[in-house]
C-alpha cells in the first residue's frame, strides 16, 4: 500500500508542477475563449436586430405605398363623381 500512496503523491506533484508552469497560459486561453464567445453572441444579437429593423422598414414602406395608392384612387373616383354630378346638373339645366 505504501507504493500506491507514493504514486498518487507523485501524480499530484506532477499536476502541481504543471499548474505552476502553465497557469498563466491557461488563464489567457480561458479568457480568450470566453471573450470570443461573448463577442460572437453580441454579433448575433446585432445581426438579428438589424434584420428586424430592415423588415420593419420594408413593411412600413409597403404600407406607405398602399396608403398612397389608395388615396390616389380615392381622389380619382371623387373627381369622376364630381365631374359626373356637374354634368348631370348642367344637363338638367339645359333641358
Amino acid at each position: 500500500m505504501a507504493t500506491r500512496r507514493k504514486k498518487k503523491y507523485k501524480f499530484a506533484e506532477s499536476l502541481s508542477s504543471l499548474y505552476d508552469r502553465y497557469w498563466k497560459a491557461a488563464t489567457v486561453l480561458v479568457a480568450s475563449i470566453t471573450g470570443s464567445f461573448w463577442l460572437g453572441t453580441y454579433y448575433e444579437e446585432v445581426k438579428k436586430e438589424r434584420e428586424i429593423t430592415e423588415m420593419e422598414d420594408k413593411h412600413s414602406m409597403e404600407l406607405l405605398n398602399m396608403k398612397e395608392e389608395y388615396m390616389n384612387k380615392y381622389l380619382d373616383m371623387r373627381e369622376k363623381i364630381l365631374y359626373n354630378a356637374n354634368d348631370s346638373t348642367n344637363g338638367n339645366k339645359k333641358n
Side-chain angles (χ1 to χ4, degrees):
M1 285 194 165
T3 56
R4 284 188 185 171
R5 288 185 185 169
K6 223 179 202 183
K7 286 182 182 178
K8 285 183 183 178
Y9 182 74
K10 284 184 181 179
F11 180 71
E13 191 176 282
S14 66
L15 284 179
S16 177
S17 67
L18 280 175
Y19 175 77
D20 289 340
R21 275 192 245 159
Y22 299 112
W23 71 272
K24 290 179 184 176
T27 303
V28 169
L29 180 66
V30 169
S32 65
I33 289 171
T34 304
S36 298
F37 178 76
W38 179 82
L39 191 62
T41 54
Y42 177 75
Y43 174 75
E44 286 299 318
E45 281 295 317
V46 168
K47 190 175 170 183
K48 278 187 218 174
E49 288 178 14
R50 187 175 294 153
E51 287 176 359
I52 289 171
T53 304
E54 287 175 2
M55 285 180 186
E56 288 174 347
D57 289 348
K58 184 178 176 183
H59 176 72
S60 296
M61 288 301 293
E62 288 176 0
L63 188 61
L64 184 64
N65 288 337
M66 289 172 70
K67 285 180 180 179
E68 186 177 344
E69 186 179 330
Y70 170 79
M71 286 305 294
N72 286 339
K73 287 181 180 180
Y74 171 77
L75 292 174
D76 286 345
M77 290 179 76
R78 186 173 169 202
E79 264 184 43
K80 287 179 185 177
I81 289 173
L82 289 175
Y83 180 75
N84 288 339
N86 286 339
D87 279 354
S88 65
T89 346
N90 291 339
N92 287 338
K93 286 182 181 178
K94 288 181 181 178
N95 288 336

